[in-house]
Amino acid sequence: MKILLINGSPKREQSDTMRLTRAFLDGMRDVLPVEVQTICPIDRVIEPCRGCFACMRGGGCVRQDDMKQILADIPCPAICCCSAFRSTATACLRRSRG
């Protein structure tokens, strides 16, 4: 099974979030073979949505950033992990939501 892991922690692989996520993935590997591709939004150029609705009209996103490639790479399923600071996602993950 292919899984895309979106790591929203600014500490990348050194974070407690990834330590917990690795334990989760190890549990999945006990049941079935898993191939994981990890993306760290903090390492990508992802602009926030302008709310222009060009994507809804079939023209695609007007932003020329890394989000197009990330969306093209997403298999089903995808796992999104991040620390919860003040009951919200980290800034690097919030700027990548679409």
Side-chain angles (χ1 to χ4, degrees), residues 44-96:
R44 304 292 184 102
V45 176
I46 303 171
E47 298 292 326
C49 178
R50 290 180 19 186
C52 66
F53 298 106
C55 60
M56 301 299 280
R57 290 192 226 72
C61 185
V62 297
R63 296 287 196 186
Q64 300 300 314
D65 61 8
D66 293 337
M67 199 63 195
K68 282 184 185 173
Q69 186 60 46
I70 292 170
L71 291 173
D73 288 345
I74 292 180
C76 230
I79 297 172
C80 183
C81 64
C82 73
S83 303
F85 294 106
R86 298 187 183 138
S87 300
T88 187
T90 56
C92 62
L93 192 58
R94 282 194 314 261
R95 70 186 177 98
S96 66

Side-chain angles (χ1 to χ4, degrees), residues 1-4 73-78:
M1 170 185 278
K2 289 180 78 172
I3 295 176
L4 176 67
D73 288 345
I74 292 180
C76 230

Side-chain angles (χ1 to χ4, degrees), residues 17-44:
T17 300
M18 277 305 295
R19 190 178 304 144
L20 290 169
T21 303
R22 280 191 292 273
F24 173 79
L25 291 171
D26 288 344
M28 286 187 69
R29 287 185 182 105
D30 289 344
V31 178
L32 53 107
V34 175
E35 179 185 334
V36 179
Q37 176 189 353
T38 303
I39 293 176
C40 295
I42 198 155
D43 296 330
R44 304 292 184 102

Side-chain angles (χ1 to χ4, degrees), residues 1-19:
M1 170 185 278
K2 289 180 78 172
I3 295 176
L4 176 67
L5 173 64
I6 302 172
N7 178 6
S9 174
K11 295 180 182 177
R12 298 171 186 85
E13 290 294 321
Q14 309 306 318
S15 68
D16 290 335
T17 300
M18 277 305 295
R19 190 178 304 144

